[in-house]
Amino acid sequence: MSLYKINEVFESLQGEGSYTGLPSIFVRLQGCPVGCPWCDTQHTWTIDPESELSSAEVMAQNTESSNWFEQSVEQLIQLFADQGYVAKHVVITGGEPCLYDLSAITTRLIDDGYSVQIETSGTYEIIAHADTWVTVSPKVNMPGGKPVLKSAMLRANEIKHPIAMQKHVEELDQVLLLLGDSPIPNVYLQPISQQKRATELAIKTCIARNWRLSLQTHKFIGIE
């Protein structure tokens, strides 16, 4: 039986990428060794056994926390029902969700009529149902020292790349070479922390490359 270490579960709107605006259930998994300096979920990085609580205790928290709970797919689906969630799109994020074998959870959710999306750094093999939508946000030259995998780039349905300066665009150009002759999926540039300079660079580059702009819409409208 597959068990997943979960930092939080909540229902909101997807604020980024192709599914922007879609009601979604977010399942945030615990654990990430990539170490992005600008990460806004650093509380999910470490899996500390002393931080494990019950699902009820974690779900009752209303602030970011390194606490986590462990559940099976069956328990998680029951949690959706107990919470009264109505969204039919599930976003599995982190942390780095591909630390886990996601085949069981993605298969069950798809069989139950959900669409499923994974948000990953591309530094781990993606093990999931074939119909899962994969968003790769390639993390290049991060402190964790983990390379972006060719297999992850080839599996991507969309590529979402945070940028703050020109070197981040150049890093993306390098990682896109992993695709070889394969078609490049839609590329979204996302300004880091909505900085004015980053936003202007993203707009300029998207127009020049025929790429797309991804704004963290949920932050603009003040939702999780």
Side-chain angles (χ1 to χ4, degrees), residues 104-178:
I105 186 171
T106 54
T107 298
R108 174 59 190 273
L109 289 169
I110 289 169
D111 286 348
D112 282 4
Y114 292 91
S115 57
V116 183
Q117 176 182 6
I118 295 170
E119 297 180 336
T120 175
S121 65
T123 59
Y124 284 84
E125 295 290 344
I126 299 164
I127 305 173
H129 189 285
D131 292 340
T132 304
W133 180 272
V134 175
T135 301
V136 174
S137 183
K139 299 302 187 289
V140 183
N141 298 327
M142 291 295 112
K146 296 190 175 297
V148 176
L149 302 181
K150 179 177 181 178
S151 61
M153 292 295 291
L154 290 171
R155 179 64 180 81
N157 297 102
E158 65 178 359
I159 295 169
K160 178 166 59 70
H161 192 61
I163 67 167
M165 56 190 73
Q166 183 62 34
K167 77 168 187 176
H168 297 140
V169 179
E170 294 166 0
E171 288 171 349
L172 177 58
D173 284 335
Q174 288 301 306
V175 81
L176 287 174
L177 294 176
L178 293 172

Side-chain angles (χ1 to χ4, degrees), residues 62-148:
N62 54 19
T63 58
E64 291 181 349
S65 168
S66 60
N67 295 129
W68 54 272
F69 62 96
E70 192 168 63
Q71 281 198 334
S72 66
V73 178
E74 293 289 342
Q75 290 171 319
L76 183 61
I77 290 174
Q78 184 59 51
L79 178 64
F80 292 175
D82 293 343
Q83 294 294 316
Y85 295 153
V86 297
K88 297 301 290 182
H89 183 70
V90 176
V91 181
I92 304 174
T93 185
E96 171 47 69
C98 291
L99 285 174
Y100 300 83
D101 180 338
L102 300 173
S103 53
I105 186 171
T106 54
T107 298
R108 174 59 190 273
L109 289 169
I110 289 169
D111 286 348
D112 282 4
Y114 292 91
S115 57
V116 183
Q117 176 182 6
I118 295 170
E119 297 180 336
T120 175
S121 65
T123 59
Y124 284 84
E125 295 290 344
I126 299 164
I127 305 173
H129 189 285
D131 292 340
T132 304
W133 180 272
V134 175
T135 301
V136 174
S137 183
K139 299 302 187 289
V140 183
N141 298 327
M142 291 295 112
K146 296 190 175 297
V148 176

